[in-house]
Amino acid sequence: MEEPVQIFRKIIHVDMDAFYASVEQRDNPEYRGKPIVVGGSPEGRGGVVATASYEARKFGVKSAMSSKKAVQLCPHAIFVRPRFDAYKEVSRKIREIFGRYTDLIEPLSLDEAYLDVTTDKLDIGSAIEIAQQIKQAIRDELQLTASAGVSINKFVAKIASDINKPDGLKFIGPSSIESFMEKLPVEKFFGVGKVTAQKMKNMGLHTGEDLKRLTEAELSRHFGKVGRFYYNIVRGIDNREVQPHRETKSLAAEDTFPYDLTTIEEMEAELDKIAIIVCNRLQHYQLKGRTVTLKIKYGDFKQITRNQSFTNGINDLETVSTTAKKLLAATEPDDKKIRLLGISLSNFGDVVVRAREEKHTDQLSLFPF
Ligand code: DCP
Ligand code: MG
């Protein structure tokens, strides 16, 4: 089999530190130096932690943990309601800073993006220098800290940004990539979820070095299509481009609630709000989708989707919200706790739209755009 070739690029992955919590500490000086938890509720109304300040993390509090658990671990933690508009605004500003250096920016979420600086607008040349300048600009202009990873591809850059967090900068150069990948635990590999990680461990595969012993055919046999990706990535090879524009295949909005919703009235009211956002965007892009999908995440993190398709494309509020509510009703929501609701439209037919930036689904904010 032909050996894959590594393309050398200069990639930076930037990820804000304890993002929501840091914004809250910046805007509310009384929270500085204190353990704060964004999202969830201390009064036993349920909900989960969106993020925690580093002071709270020392007690073991982390994202996606139940509030109850967070209170047990850190009884004096201050619970703060998320302010998505504020986070969106910061997100817009960091992108403006990135844009000084390159137009090849691929945001992964509000607080995270890949930048390709193989050629940069200011002719700086050094990706490490650019990463330093970006961190400095974020500090000076936004009073926040970010961590950056610098390497020759996306995968390694992303892993690198996590290494010296918070306020970190880590460069992994071509000569150290292979040894770095060999030591990496399998959980850290792209797309390896809990189930695959367990499967790997059962096979005696714990690190990149173990994975490297398998041939491409063996990896494909055990893990399907992603097997080839693992084969390459363990050798540090990742030729995915930084994609500033993504083709729009679906358009979605969703909201994670500070408290779990328990009544139909609340759920329907939230769906109405989400439907307005989706329809406004559809109309803005002059898109009509034939499929409406409702996404529900329950208090216990279980997630389901339900969809309905139409013969003709739709984008009117009445149809979208009625369909979403009908789909909700069919899930027998009466005795359930709902943490997240989302609506997406897809199946746009032949229309190919290139919306600017960003991923359109799986965002935590009400405004994924
Ligand atoms: N978030 C969330 N629920 C999760 C994970 C994250 O609501 N399960 C939100 C809150 C985070 C933001 O997304 O502030 C960014 O996520 P990160 O994973 O980058 O986490 P942080 O920025 O909070 O911390 P870190 O310093 O580890 O990057
Ligand atoms: Mg972050």
Side-chain angles (χ1 to χ4, degrees):
M1 213 165 296
E2 219 176 290
E3 281 301 305
V5 180
Q6 173 78 67
I7 296 171
F8 284 63
R9 298 188 173 99
K10 294 179 191 172
I11 307 292
I12 305 175
H13 177 260
V14 182
D15 187 306
M16 302 294 288
D17 301 321
F19 185 45
Y20 296 180
S22 304
V23 175
E24 296 306 330
Q25 288 182 320
R26 180 193 70 174
D27 297 347
N28 303 281
E30 69 275 21
Y31 295 157
R32 291 184 198 157
K34 304 239 168 77
I36 72 157
V37 171
V38 182
S41 143
E43 297 102 27
R45 279 194 64 187
V48 300
V49 173
T51 198
S53 67
Y54 280 89
E55 293 83 356
R57 289 184 196 195
K58 279 194 210 128
F59 295 86
V61 181
K62 50 186 178 192
S63 292
M65 174 180 275
S66 72
S67 318
K68 204 171 144 203
K69 182 89 196 281
V71 175
Q72 279 167 8
L73 291 171
C74 185
H76 57 296
I78 305 166
F79 281 74
V80 182
R81 251 176 195 276
R83 292 179 301 135
F84 293 111
D85 284 346
Y87 314 143
K88 256 197 73 182
E89 179 58 14
V90 173
S91 186
R92 202 184 55 72
K93 288 185 173 147
I94 59 172
R95 278 173 212 174
E96 187 269 310
I97 293 172
F98 302 156
R100 296 171 197 170
Y101 301 91
T102 178
D103 290 326
L104 289 176
I105 305 164
E106 179 181 334
L108 298 175
S109 68
L110 289 181
D111 91 321
E112 196 187 341
Y114 290 116
L115 280 62
D116 184 328
V117 294
T118 310
T119 54
D120 69 275
K121 289 181 180 177
L122 304 179
D123 227 0
I124 295 169
S126 156
I128 300 173
E129 173 61 26
I130 295 171
Q132 263 158 355
Q133 289 192 16
I134 287 173
K135 277 164 53 69
Q136 194 61 44
I138 291 174
R139 180 189 297 283
D140 293 345
E141 297 168 36
L142 302 174
Q143 291 76 51
L144 290 168
T145 63
S147 295
V150 180
S151 192
I152 57 165
N153 65 42
K154 283 187 177 181
F155 182 83
V156 182
K158 183 161 161 86
I159 301 262
S161 71
D162 211 34
I163 293 178
N164 292 329
K165 239 179 195 303
D167 200 13
L169 174 58
K170 173 78 181 168
F171 168 66
I172 300 178
S175 58
S176 44
I177 287 185
E178 286 226 40
S179 65
F180 175 79
M181 296 304 290
E182 283 174 2
K183 289 188 207 92
L184 206 62
V186 290
E187 295 85 344
K188 294 268 184 179
F189 282 82
F190 182 80
V192 176
K194 275 195 194 135
V195 177
T196 311
Q198 197 49 53
K199 182 173 169 185
M200 287 180 172
K201 288 188 178 159
N202 294 344
M203 291 168 66
L205 307 169
H206 301 275
T207 62
E209 195 176 9
D210 298 330
L211 280 176
K212 216 171 176 178
R213 290 201 201 98
L214 300 189
T215 63
E216 191 182 335
E218 283 168 331
L219 282 168
S220 299
R221 195 167 67 239
H222 291 293
F223 304 106
K225 270 192 198 153
V226 286
R228 184 178 165 80
F229 187 78
Y230 297 149
Y231 181 85
N232 288 335
I233 214 74
V234 75
R235 289 163 177 78
I237 297 172
D238 172 14
N239 291 334
R240 289 173 301 155
E241 286 175 18
V242 170
Q243 290 183 301
H245 303 284
R246 286 170 186 264
E247 201 173 285
T248 306
K249 292 211 171 98
S250 71
L251 205 147
E254 61 184 49
D255 197 9
T256 305
F257 310 111
Y259 308 115
D260 290 344
L261 307 183
T262 50
T263 69
I264 305 279
E265 290 74 26
E266 284 176 312
M267 298 170 196
E268 292 195 339
E270 293 300 335
L271 280 181
D272 276 334
K273 286 191 221 161
I274 297 168
I276 290 172
I277 293 163
V278 175
C279 289
N280 280 345
R281 283 197 200 127
L282 286 167
Q283 288 158 19
H284 175 75
Y285 290 111
Q286 302 189 337
L287 280 177
K288 287 187 174 182
R290 282 183 39 226
T291 305
V292 178
T293 303
L294 171 73
K295 172 163 145 190
I296 305 176
K297 202 186 269 177
Y298 295 106
D300 62 1
F301 298 110
K302 231 190 257 146
Q303 185 175 304
I304 61 162
T305 58
R306 296 286 181 267
N307 62 65
Q308 184 181 335
S309 290
F310 296 82
T311 342
N312 295 314
I314 54 156
N315 69 3
D316 66 287
L317 181 59
E318 175 67 28
T319 317
V320 172
S321 81
T322 316
T323 308
K325 286 178 201 165
K326 226 168 73 189
L327 291 167
L328 173 72
T331 64
E332 299 178 346
D334 311 69
D335 53 348
K336 308 231 166 73
K337 288 183 171 177
I338 290 184
R339 162 162 166 71
L340 172 151
L341 284 171
I343 301 175
S344 81
L345 266 281
S346 56
N347 232 333
F348 298 129
D350 300 332
V351 200
V352 175
V353 193
R354 289 187 166 265
R356 282 210 337 258
E357 301 177 342
E358 290 156 274
K359 191 159 118 171
H360 303 299
T361 51
D362 290 336
Q363 290 280 119
L364 286 137
S365 113
L366 186 55
F367 302 101
F369 269 66

